[in-house]
Amino acid sequence: MTTQQYLEQVRAATDAREAAKEAAQMADDLWRNKIKEATVAGARVFLIAKAAGDITTSRVYQIRDGVRTGSR
């Protein structure tokens, strides 16, 4: 394989990586918005937490309030 072919593969992989990051961010935004909507609608926080992948109820409140934690 030539250097040019390697560089083309690196560019293609970089483009795929960026597309995946954008898709993940869109999915995360949708997930957060649905959690917020459910809390506003009055759904029980415990049930929202279970439906959201078994996160903690504290995390549901943080998402509702727009609080970001962690290593981002």
Side-chain angles (χ1 to χ4, degrees):
M1 192 177 305
T2 67
T3 299
Q4 186 61 35
Q5 290 171 318
Y6 280 113
L7 295 175
E8 288 171 6
Q9 288 183 350
V10 169
R11 285 185 193 102
T14 301
D15 290 345
R17 180 177 181 260
E18 289 302 314
K21 284 171 46 178
E22 288 176 21
Q25 184 61 53
M26 288 176 23
D28 187 65
D29 291 344
L30 176 62
W31 180 75
R32 290 172 187 280
N33 286 334
K34 293 303 175 184
I35 290 171
K36 289 176 189 178
E37 288 174 9
T39 60
V40 169
R44 292 182 55 207
V45 172
F46 173 78
L47 296 176
I48 296 169
K50 286 291 185 192
D54 210 20
I55 62 175
T56 65
T57 56
S58 295
R59 190 70 189 119
V60 172
Y61 289 118
Q62 289 173 337
I63 292 167
R64 178 198 66 189
D65 298 338
V67 176
R68 281 201 174 253
T69 61
S71 61
R72 291 185 186 216

